[in-house]
Amino acid sequence: MELHRRHMMLYALMLLALTGMRAPSEIFSLSWGDIAYRRKKYDDRNAMMQPMNIIDNAFMLEASLDDGLRLTTHKIFDEWMCNDMGEVDISIISIPENTKTGSRNVPCLCSGLFQQIKDYYHFMEVEVDGKFIIPPFDKDQPIFLELFGRCKGKVFEKHAFNRLFRELMARVGLERIKFTPYHFRHFFITQRIKAGAKVPMIAKLVGNSPTEIYRTYEHVILEDDLESLLQV
């Protein structure tokens, strides 16, 4: 049970970092019917679609030498690789209406991550209510599922997610500052600002007002503007 929950936490944290979604309210409200895919010409001028380095370089080096790790990381990030026509797979996530700021669409480079989650369920082959949890999935099936225990077949339990996150922070020695899953949202917004995305676009994607983004991330915006001035 705990190993499965750690897998779910890993996928959830990566999705948070790549989309800026709220945890746990938005991310654990997602079902497979909320995800659509679109193949699009890659444009490196689009600051919202720039890849982000969310994995430590040392780990990536280790992954390149390990067949299992290399397969996993390549599946998660393979949509960043253009095909011969210079196209990439864009995931369009539809945030449900019953969330804090209502419905919205979030385009992101997460196709490989969703495929990895599907492959994981296929590998587990767990049966819930007489039906195996394997692709293709029902559109109403939650993406993040409990597969064991009394909550089997239900949405990943948010208290277990928060507990595992605290344990992770303690294990890696990040206890001086009280980090929460919400910091992955801060990471996403900060990285988009540094990539040159316009604040109104960022605000629309994360479900905030531009005023709130300017107020919270003023130091990031000013730092970025200063760096631009020094480069002139």
Side-chain angles (χ1 to χ4, degrees):
M1 179 189 293
E2 285 295 278
L3 183 59
H4 163 68
R5 284 176 166 176
R6 290 191 179 101
H7 273 90
M8 289 291 98
M9 183 180 69
L10 168 65
Y11 297 140
L13 294 179
M14 296 187 76
L15 188 58
L16 291 175
L18 290 166
T19 62
M21 294 170 62
R22 293 179 176 88
S25 59
E26 291 181 347
I27 195 168
F28 292 145
S29 67
L30 292 178
S31 61
W32 288 108
D34 296 322
I35 312 300
Y37 302 98
R38 184 179 305 164
R39 184 161 284 275
K40 185 177 180 181
K41 193 80 171 178
Y42 180 70
D43 184 355
D44 60 7
R45 295 170 298 178
N46 186 340
M48 295 307 298
M49 289 288 106
Q50 291 296 315
M52 293 185 292
N53 183 15
I54 61 174
I55 293 186
D56 180 79
N57 288 333
F59 175 83
M60 291 301 286
L61 178 61
E62 179 184 352
S64 69
L65 302 174
D66 183 286
D67 290 340
L69 286 175
R70 184 169 63 251
L71 178 63
T72 298
T73 53
H74 281 192
K75 280 186 176 181
I76 291 176
F77 296 112
D78 63 0
E79 73 275 18
W80 290 359
M81 308 302 175
C82 298
N83 62 16
D84 292 339
M85 299 177 64
E87 297 173 324
V88 293
D89 287 327
I90 305 296
S91 306
I92 311 295
I93 302 176
S94 298
I95 306 296
E97 182 69 40
N98 60 346
T99 53
K100 182 177 179 180
T101 52
S103 62
R104 68 182 191 277
N105 291 329
V106 179
C108 56
L109 293 170
C110 296
S111 302
L113 177 58
F114 289 128
Q115 185 59 51
Q116 178 67 15
I117 297 173
K118 290 178 181 179
D119 289 346
Y120 169 75
Y121 283 130
H122 193 277
F123 173 78
M124 294 298 290
E125 287 191 340
V126 173
E127 187 175 357
V128 175
D129 296 329
K131 182 179 179 181
F132 282 105
I133 304 298
I134 57 175
F137 300 108
D138 295 334
K139 66 177 183 178
D140 296 327
Q141 180 179 306
I143 292 176
F144 296 96
L145 274 177
E146 293 278 7
L147 293 185
F148 304 96
R150 58 184 177 82
C151 295
K152 181 178 179 180
K154 297 181 180 179
V155 178
F156 186 32
E157 216 277 316
K158 64 179 183 181
H159 297 295
F161 172 75
N162 289 328
R163 173 181 60 79
L164 286 170
F165 184 82
R166 291 193 300 270
E167 291 175 0
L168 174 63
M169 294 299 99
R171 185 178 181 86
V172 298
L174 294 176
E175 296 179 284
R176 185 175 64 85
I177 299 174
K178 187 178 180 181
F179 287 104
T180 69
Y182 204 86
H183 280 85
F184 285 79
R185 180 176 171 86
H186 292 312
F187 169 81
F188 172 83
I189 296 173
T190 299
Q191 293 299 310
R192 295 305 89 197
I193 292 172
K194 286 185 169 296
K198 302 298 183 184
V199 168
M201 176 60 73
I202 297 173
K204 183 176 181 179
L205 288 180
V206 301
N208 266 132
S209 68
T211 302
E212 182 66 26
I213 299 294
Y214 279 120
R215 180 168 54 243
T216 306
Y217 299 93
E218 179 184 19
H219 63 292
V220 179
I221 297 169
L222 291 176
E223 178 184 314
D224 202 47
D225 289 344
L226 179 59
E227 287 180 3
S228 298
L229 286 172
L230 292 175
Q231 291 173 3
V232 175

